[in-house]
Amino acid sequence: MDELDPVIHAPKRLRIMALLATADDLTFARIQDQLRLGTPDLSKQIKTLHDAGYLRTKRSGRGPGSQTWVGMTREGARAYRSHVRALRALLDDADSTTESR
Amino acid sequence: MHDEPMGQTPRQALETIESDQIDLYLRWAETQVPWWYWPSFATIVATWVASYEFGLWAGTGGALFAAAALGYIAGVLMDRSGVTFPRVRAMPRPLLAPYVAVFVVHLTVVAAITTTVIVMDDPPFLAIGLAIGPALALVGSASTRWYRAVAERLRAQSAR
């Protein structure tokens, strides 16, 4: 039985994980641009996910052109898929309850 | 742990992430496959093929040049778009066909060149290079336009 993951359940973190499920790695700037989050906010959310073991980060290049690349760990990918399955199950339950009324 | 409101229903959460994902796939095509990608790719491949006209060593040099140039372009495009390669697993089903088509174009070109080199005794490499360049640029650009059109349609549907 899949359960909602408390770390991923926060909307911003769920959106970050969803984006990272679409590509091997994304830059910090790409995630920021896509989700329209401020730098401190995004850093905080990424740190929370990183501390939970769900994300890995690495820097490429040096100086002003350097980029931070963020990717999902295997554990993160598993947790994300389980979380999405739990959300779908909740949605199915809600739909079947509505239909049975 | 919950440091922000959980005001989303499961349906809203799933719709939001689906919309974000489609948006990323679309932006990937816009930024990582810019208009100049296919003409550049076609020119590099055509130059590589044509270089065999001047002997095996010239062809080997051409292959090394092509590998370095394509590697450089791939690096530039990844830095520019902020995305490595999109994952097929999370890709919406309608986008898979044009996405796969892009790779089929690449593989077909490599297979055609290899077959020509193996089958023909004295292939007209210069002519093949000149023919393959524009064809590759056109087919590649068409596959990218197809991908974008499908992604735009999905984005419009998810915004409703």
Side-chain angles (χ1 to χ4, degrees), chain A residues 45-58:
Chain A
Q45 306 302 341
I46 285 179
K47 185 179 183 310
T48 304
L49 290 164
H50 186 271
D51 290 349
Y54 292 169
L55 298 186
R56 54 182 162 68
T57 58
K58 65 176 177 199

Side-chain angles (χ1 to χ4, degrees), chain B residues 94-114:
Chain B
L95 275 177
L96 277 174
Y99 183 71
V100 170
V102 173
F103 287 97
V104 169
V105 170
H106 284 88
L107 290 175
T108 305
V109 168
V110 172
I113 293 168
T114 310

Side-chain angles (χ1 to χ4, degrees), chain A residues 15 22 25 27 30 33 81, chain B residues 20 27 81-82 87 89:
Chain A
R15 293 181 74 195
T22 63
D25 291 290
T27 57
R30 163 57 71 189
D33 177 52
R81 284 198 297 270
Chain B
D20 283 343
R27 289 202 204 185
S81 66
R87 282 209 179 103
R89 181 184 276 182

